[in-house]
Amino acid sequence: MKVVVTGASGSVGTALLRSPGIEHWELTGIARRRPPAREPYTGMRWIGCDIGDPSAESVLTEAFAGASAVVHLAWAIHPHRTDPPMTRTNAIGTEHVLHAATAAGVAQVVCASSVAAYTPADRWTRVDENHPRTGLPGSAYSLGKAALETRLDEFEQQQPGIRVARIRPCGIVQSDSAAELRDWLLSPWLPRSVIGRRMLPIPLWKDLRLQLVHAADVATAIRAILRDRAVGAFDLAAEPVLSAPTLAALFGGFRAPVPRGLLTTGAGWSWRTGLQPLHPAWLELADRACLVDAVRATRELGWQPETDAVTACRELASRIRTGPPGPSAPLAPPRPKFRLGRPTHQNQRPQHAGTAGTGG
């Protein structure tokens, strides 16, 4: 089976390349920055391509020629202010991928969506794949995934001969993504050594609930979709749902009770000044993202996560504290240049998406 993977050097792509049985595939990886020639990026063809570039569609069409399937994982989640704008990669890049898949006659397309695409529901209600997908109005990431879902619906109608599947995972973690997530979440001035200390206060609001899934388990679901030529949507999440006290304990500290509104205000100010990278829209999304069950993936794909959410989070916390960065450029981001009064990462508000302006 010939499979082309966009975003193949990112977290899920790297986990997919480490999956058992992958060595029997003819693999082509698409990445804006080619990864180093070391495990797990060897033994396959690599094409350097910025999927949002105007020339990308012709490059992708040639790369997809003869492919059994395209796995579209490329997505700008929380890029630095010096990276290409999010909309260029996410909206324009996805359009290039779908056009190229059509032109090349690809039989199957698998896209990575997210539970963030769902319309917020009651806090403790679990939704399934039929829940509305309008996203959270204040989150560029959420609305971007909702727009992806709409585009895939249109694509299915326009190209009935192409089998389309989409995964909707919750938060994806693994040890290799520790440096990337640290770059998104923590101030560069916070010493890693304080992670895991029992007296570390971790500001979290009381009602926070978080679902996580290990990247290796997401890769297993993708392999099952390709194996079965499955179509449709598949929610992916591991148990249990993590509470604020549990999260604080897993990172070695204790929960400092801070109301979400106050925490969001503080995050907005500190993001605008560049003191820390986390845009407040991420806190709002964490508070309102839907909880899901993976019933359909279990029933139709035989999928069961091998790593529970507590173990996955503990693995991440340990690597953040002591481990080296991941093996590729996305998983080993450089420390952003700090300039007081300028955000280090792009704005996550829809009206400012792709900029590093001061709108919180």
Side-chain angles (χ1 to χ4, degrees):
M1 179 163 60
K2 178 179 178 180
V3 179
V4 184
V5 184
T6 71
S9 61
S11 178
V12 176
T14 297
L16 183 61
L17 299 184
R18 287 201 167 113
S19 296
I22 286 291
E23 64 273 10
H24 301 302
W25 296 3
E26 181 185 343
L27 280 168
T28 298
I30 307 291
R32 182 163 61 92
R33 295 163 291 183
R34 296 191 191 196
R38 63 171 181 255
E39 191 277 334
Y41 308 119
T42 57
M44 57 185 292
R45 179 188 180 203
W46 283 96
I47 297 175
C49 177
D50 178 349
I51 65 169
D53 189 87
S55 65
E57 190 172 325
S58 61
V59 175
L60 294 171
T61 301
E62 182 177 351
F64 294 172
S68 308
V70 167
V71 179
H72 180 37
L73 303 177
W75 196 268
I77 298 175
H78 192 32
H80 291 175
R81 60 182 175 82
T82 53
D83 288 334
M86 288 183 290
T87 51
R88 168 184 156 127
T89 300
N90 300 344
I92 298 173
T94 294
E95 204 63 36
H96 289 160
V97 169
L98 296 179
H99 287 172
T102 302
V106 173
Q108 184 177 24
V109 173
V110 181
C111 283
S113 184
S114 169
V115 301
Y118 287 127
T119 305
D122 292 339
R123 179 170 295 276
W124 295 103
T125 298
R126 299 226 187 185
V127 306
D128 64 17
E129 288 85 354
N130 297 315
H131 190 71
R133 295 156 291 146
T134 59
L136 179 66
S139 166
Y141 176 78
S142 177
L143 293 183
K145 290 297 187 181
L148 170 66
E149 292 277 350
T150 299
R151 182 65 187 97
L152 291 177
D153 291 343
E154 296 170 349
F155 184 73
E156 287 179 321
Q157 294 178 352
Q158 295 164 355
Q159 305 297 333
I162 299 178
R163 303 178 71 84
V164 178
R166 57 195 93 175
I167 56 170
R168 295 180 188 144
C170 57
I172 302 172
V173 296
Q174 64 167 321
S175 58
D176 275 343
S177 63
E180 180 183 45
L181 290 171
R182 185 173 67 241
D183 175 72
W184 294 348
L185 297 172
L186 302 177
S187 170
W189 311 111
L190 180 70
R192 285 193 302 170
S193 59
V194 306
I195 303 295
R197 296 197 176 177
R198 291 197 296 178
M199 296 308 294
L200 175 67
I202 301 178
L204 296 171
W205 60 99
K206 181 180 66 173
D207 296 327
L208 173 64
R209 74 285 186 277
L210 183 68
Q211 285 186 300
L212 296 177
V213 64
H214 198 283
D217 288 321
V218 176
T220 299
I222 294 172
R223 281 180 21 240
I225 289 170
L226 294 172
R227 176 198 67 209
D228 298 344
R229 301 186 68 232
V231 298
F234 298 91
D235 292 336
L236 303 175
E239 299 295 339
V241 177
L242 303 178
S243 66
T246 299
L247 285 166
L250 286 169
F251 280 89
F254 64 93
R255 183 178 80 90
V258 179
R260 187 187 63 79
L262 181 60
L263 194 58
T264 300
T265 299
W269 173 81
S270 54
W271 171 82
R272 286 192 297 271
T273 56
L275 292 177
Q276 62 83 30
L278 188 66
H279 191 279
W282 288 111
L283 300 178
E284 296 165 15
L285 181 57
D287 185 60
R288 301 192 63 193
C290 288
L291 299 180
V292 298
D293 282 314
V295 173
R296 185 180 183 220
T298 299
R299 182 181 67 247
E300 299 188 18
L301 303 176
W303 181 80
Q304 289 285 352
E306 292 189 1
T307 305
D308 64 80
V310 171
T311 302
C313 190
R314 185 179 291 119
E315 174 188 311
L316 174 68
S318 176
R319 184 71 170 264
I320 286 177
R321 180 172 63 252
T322 62
S328 68
L331 301 179
R335 182 170 175 171
K337 294 182 179 180
F338 173 73
R339 178 177 172 182
L340 188 63
R342 176 180 291 184
T344 57
H345 290 65
Q346 292 178 24
N347 201 315
Q348 290 290 323
R349 294 298 185 199
Q351 65 271 31
H352 301 291
T355 72
T358 57

